[in-house]
Structure formats: C-alpha cells, structure tokens
C-alpha cells in the first residue's frame, strides 16, 4: 500500500505527453500548441481606419474650422485606394484601408458636411484613428509560443495570423469499462438486489467537464472471461483505460486478475486513503490504466485526484489537478484511522465546512459539495479555524 503522496508521484512519473496532430483551428479549443506560431502577415496589413468618419490629408494638426474637399469614399474591404493631396479628404469606414497620403481620420461626430465640403468642429491631433500597418504583429514574428493552451481568443488570433489549421498535442482516447452484475441502466425496473448503474455517467460527466470526453464505454458482467476479453480489446484501442468496480478482494472481482493476465506493468495497488483504497494503477506500453473501486464516491474522488492530472499531462497541460487553496475549517473534525482522507465539503465566505454523509457509497453529499478537503494520513484532529487544504470542484 502506498501513500497518497507516493501514488501521485508515481502517476506523474509514468504518464507521458502524447504525440502531435494537425487540426482545423475550429477543433483546437483548449488544445496545447505543439509549435511556435509565426504570423503569416503584418496585422493590420495596411493602414486601417479605426473609425467611421473622414480620412484627411493635412499638414500637421487640424484646428477647429479647418475645411477639406471630399473626393470619394472607401468602404471596408475595398481594394482600390484614392490618392489624396493636402486639403482633400475621403469618406471612410471602420476597418477600411486608409489612403497612403492620409494623415488623420476624423470621426464623423465632429464633422459638418455640406455638399462636397467638410468642416471640422474641434481641434484634432495629427495621426489619430489610424491603425498603423503591423502595429499588432509583423509578418514572421512569433505570435504564440509552443506549449500555449488555446483559449477562444488564442484561436481567434491564429485565424487573424492566417492559420486555418495548426499542430497541437493529441488528446487521449479514453475507454471506460464498467463491471458489476447488479447494475441496471436507470429508467428500467429494478429487481430486488439490483441497483441503478451510475458510475459511467458520473465519470464521463466529470471527464467531459474538464475537457476529456470519453471515447467508449463498455459494460461487462462479473465473469473472468468477459472481463478479460473486454479489457484486452479496450487496451488495444485506448490511450487511457479506466475501469469501474471489480478491483477489490471479493470472489467476483476479476479486474486485477485480468489485467495481470494481460501483462500490464503494475505500479501500485491500494492507496492509504479514504475513500478509494483499492485503487490500481498500471501502464502497458503507452496506455495508462486506472482501475477504480466501484463505490461511487471512491471512483469519482480518484478520478479528480489522480486521473485528471494524468490526462492534463498527456495533453500537454502539465500535471495539473483541481485548483487548491488553504481555508479555515468551520468546525472541529476528528479523523479516525491512519489513512489520508478526502472529505466532501462546502466553501462559504467564512471558510470550508465538512458535509454530513461521507460514506464512499453515498452521492447525495457529493452532489451538493463544491470542494474536497484533504486531510493527510498523519493528521487526526483538526480544530475549528485551522487551515485545511481544499480542492475546488
Ligand atoms: P465493487 O468495487 O465492484 O466491489 O463495488 C463496490 C460497490 O459499488 C458496490 O456496492 C457496487 O454495487 C457499487 N457499484 C459498483 N459499480 C457501480 C456502478 N457502475 N454504479 C453504481 N454503483 C456501483
Ligand atoms: Mg463489483
């Protein structure tokens, strides 16, 4: 049995970043760039009007009462320009290419137009309202660096620089194998002794919430043959193989035996933690394998604490789990036993409280929790107002 800290270190050491793929930028949200991105163009690539108004050619600043002769109009997207000389102006719109000789764009709100003559109603500094060529980035300069996580604005910037597709780190394909004879899909009738299957939807939702949709879910009965067969197939297809249930010490728990038969490299089995002691972690070639205990709260907590950072690591985000902070515990808590504990909690403006109903079989507490409180194995009593480590859900 390993400690929580040792287990997490082992996972971090074993899990490697995946390879690279080229994707259309529209599919790159939250992906990690696998190349430095150089702009293909100057942005803007022409002097550009920042206002609807008039582009004028003047000799220096413009004073209230100055007049210009209007000789044409340039819309956004218009590719032909109009030559200007001092004293002349063109009607212009936001985003349009400003004529090369224009010195200033004057917003229409401070211009009076009579026929082809415009009069400026306020003093204006030379050069305003013109976005200079290349003021955002020059062609060939680095716009975004390799390793950057692509946000919506990052993807927009890629488009602005002229990229329709880009090299990013792959995302893991995730297979989930759910075991248990007692499990019935919700919506059907239950016979005595059966329960509704909830782990698949819980785990898949948690994964999706952090940007890792599940590729395939398999359901198997508690027989050795079926378990072995299913795990063999899933292993050959998945970057990450997750299993639910059947990893404990019962006579019908076949996941461990089957994985060993498939010659996975076992890194740990059982962690000194509550909930989720019978957690199993292995690798086989490049595939990462977590066998989760079937109790709903155990499976979900292990996913949050070990699997989430592993998936982030594989995707190029580094070994990042839930965000952590220290908060005062609102009332005293006495931890029994020598295992580290993850407690369902609720963050309030004053601190964090431990919720009632911590059993690993219970989800009613988890369903309203917004935090997990981590108490290390060595800690037994926590006094009210003592700071505890909190993982935000
Ligand atoms: P196991 O780890 O297979 O011994 O299961 C431990 C407990 O979790 C048992 O009470 C199971 O009925 C329950 N359990 C296992 N798998 C699921 C599941 N997919 N959905 C809901 N409960 C489950
Ligand atoms: Mg079972």
């Amino acid at each position: 049995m390993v400690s929580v800290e040792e287990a997490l270190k082992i996972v971090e050491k074993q899990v490697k970043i995946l390879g690279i793929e080229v994707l259309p930028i529209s599919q790159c949200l939250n992906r990690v760039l696998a190349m430095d991105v150089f702009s293909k163009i100057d942005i803007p690539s022409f002097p550009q009007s920042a206002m609807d108004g008039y582009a004028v050619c003047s000799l220096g600043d413009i004073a209230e009462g100055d007049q210009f002769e209007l000789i044409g109009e340039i819309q956004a997207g218009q590719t032909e320009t109009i030559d200007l000389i001092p004293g002349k102006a063109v009607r212009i719109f936001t985003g349009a290419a400003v004529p090369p000789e224009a010195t200033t764009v004057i917003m229409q709100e401070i211009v009076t137009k009579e026929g082809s003559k415009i009069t400026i109603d306020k003093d204006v500094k030379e050069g305003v309202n013109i976005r200079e060529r290349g003021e955002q980035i020059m062609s060939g300069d680095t716009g975004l660096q390799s390793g950057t996580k692509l946000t919506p604005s990052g993807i927009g910037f890629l488009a602005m620089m002229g990229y329709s597709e880009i090299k990013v780190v792959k995302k893991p394909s995730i297979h989930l194998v759910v075991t248990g004879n007692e499990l019935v899909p919700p919506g059907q009738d239950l016979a005595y002794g059966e329960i509704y299957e909830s782990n698949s939807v819980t785990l898949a939702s948690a994964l999706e919430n952090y940007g890792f949709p599940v590729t395939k879910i398999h359901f198997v009965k508690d027989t050795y043959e079926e378990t072995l067969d299913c795990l063999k197939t899933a292993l050959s297809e998945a970057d990450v193989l997750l299993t639910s249930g059947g990893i404990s010490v019962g006579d019908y728990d076949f996941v461990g035996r089957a994985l060993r038969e498939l010659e996975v490299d076992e890194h740990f089995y059982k962690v000194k933690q509550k909930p989720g002691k019978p957690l199993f972690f292995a690798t086989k070639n490049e595939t990462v394998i977590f066998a989760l205990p079937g109790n709903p709260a155990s499976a979900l907590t292990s996913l949050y604490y070990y699997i989430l950072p592993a998936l982030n690591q594989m995707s190029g985000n580094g070994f990042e789990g839930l965000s952590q902070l220290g908060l005062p515990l609102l009332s005293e808590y006495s931890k029994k036993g020598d295992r580290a504990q993850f407690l369902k909690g609720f963050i309030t403006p004053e601190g964090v409280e431990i919720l009632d109903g911590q059993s690993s079989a219970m989800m009613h507490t988890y369903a309203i929790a917004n935090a997990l409180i981590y108490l290390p194995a060595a800690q037994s009593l926590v006094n009210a107002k003592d700071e505890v480590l909190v993982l935000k859900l």
Side-chain angles (χ1 to χ4, degrees), residues 226-367:
E226 207 177 313
T227 306
L228 181 66
D229 225 44
C230 181
L231 290 178
K232 192 173 177 187
T233 312
L235 255 186
S236 68
E237 294 173 16
D239 297 312
V240 177
L241 170 58
L242 307 179
T243 67
S244 153
I247 189 64
S248 202
V249 294
D251 291 353
Y252 298 94
D253 290 334
F254 294 118
V255 171
R257 200 175 126 198
L259 287 173
R260 289 181 187 112
E261 172 67 25
L262 293 167
E263 296 183 328
V264 302
D265 297 315
E266 181 175 331
H267 302 297
F268 60 77
Y269 174 46
K270 292 194 178 160
V271 181
K272 225 170 150 186
Q273 64 182 5
K274 195 177 169 187
K277 185 170 88 168
L279 175 66
F280 176 100
F281 172 63
T283 51
K284 168 118 178 153
N285 304 321
E286 303 298 302
T287 304
V288 172
I289 304 150
F290 289 94
L292 303 168
N295 268 315
S298 305
L300 184 59
T301 304
S302 293
L303 183 147
Y304 282 139
Y305 199 71
Y306 303 97
I307 298 173
L308 185 58
L311 295 171
N312 274 324
Q313 175 109 309
M314 295 175 94
S315 314
N317 288 315
F319 198 67
E320 282 292 314
L322 297 176
S323 61
Q324 304 187 355
L325 70 168
L327 286 177
L329 192 64
L330 290 180
S331 48
E332 180 184 294
Y333 182 78
S334 139
K335 176 172 83 61
K336 289 167 200 71
D338 60 354
R339 283 188 271 162
Q341 215 170 344
F342 294 95
L343 295 156
K344 275 73 79 182
F346 199 83
I347 299 172
T348 72
E350 290 75 39
V352 65
E353 62 175 302
I354 295 173
L355 297 170
D356 283 337
Q358 294 288 337
S359 155
S360 60
M362 294 176 172
M363 287 299 264
H364 68 302
T365 300
Y366 229 143

Side-chain angles (χ1 to χ4, degrees), residues 80-295:
E80 313 84 51
T81 190
I82 297 173
D83 294 330
L84 287 182
I85 53 169
K88 309 284 180 191
V90 290
R91 179 84 171 110
I92 201 151
F93 301 95
T94 305
V98 170
E101 304 84 10
T103 51
T104 306
V105 167
I106 303 183
M107 61 196 287
Q108 63 191 40
E109 288 83 350
I110 58 164
V111 173
T112 306
K113 177 173 173 289
E114 282 169 278
S116 66
K117 194 180 71 187
I118 58 168
T119 308
I120 315 304
D121 304 332
K122 266 190 187 169
D123 293 352
V124 179
K125 273 230 155 305
E126 186 181 7
V128 298
N129 299 327
I130 298 176
R131 301 175 188 143
E132 272 177 55
R133 177 173 183 147
E135 76 173 20
Q136 186 173 171
I137 190 167
M138 304 286 280
S139 174
D141 285 356
T142 307
L144 290 168
Q145 289 184 332
S146 185
T148 304
K149 185 169 177 171
L150 289 170
T151 57
S153 48
I155 289 175
F157 189 34
L158 289 175
M160 287 170 76
M161 291 189 286
Y163 287 84
S164 60
E165 52 181 35
I166 205 83
K167 277 187 197 163
V168 288
V169 180
K170 285 183 179 169
K171 276 229 170 162
S173 72
I174 305 174
H175 284 232
L176 172 59
V177 174
V178 178
T179 72
N181 286 348
E182 72 278 32
L183 307 173
V184 172
Q188 298 186 12
D189 289 338
L190 284 181
Y192 189 72
E194 293 178 334
I195 64 165
Y196 286 127
E197 195 283 307
S198 63
N199 284 353
S200 62
V201 74
T202 307
L203 301 174
S205 301
L207 291 166
E208 190 184 332
N209 205 17
Y210 292 96
F212 299 105
V214 170
T215 314
K216 195 165 177 189
I217 303 180
H218 315 251
F219 294 93
V220 296
K221 292 289 177 207
D222 291 320
T223 72
Y224 179 63
E225 291 69 29
E226 207 177 313
T227 306
L228 181 66
D229 225 44
C230 181
L231 290 178
K232 192 173 177 187
T233 312
L235 255 186
S236 68
E237 294 173 16
D239 297 312
V240 177
L241 170 58
L242 307 179
T243 67
S244 153
I247 189 64
S248 202
V249 294
D251 291 353
Y252 298 94
D253 290 334
F254 294 118
V255 171
R257 200 175 126 198
L259 287 173
R260 289 181 187 112
E261 172 67 25
L262 293 167
E263 296 183 328
V264 302
D265 297 315
E266 181 175 331
H267 302 297
F268 60 77
Y269 174 46
K270 292 194 178 160
V271 181
K272 225 170 150 186
Q273 64 182 5
K274 195 177 169 187
K277 185 170 88 168
L279 175 66
F280 176 100
F281 172 63
T283 51
K284 168 118 178 153
N285 304 321
E286 303 298 302
T287 304
V288 172
I289 304 150
F290 289 94
L292 303 168
N295 268 315

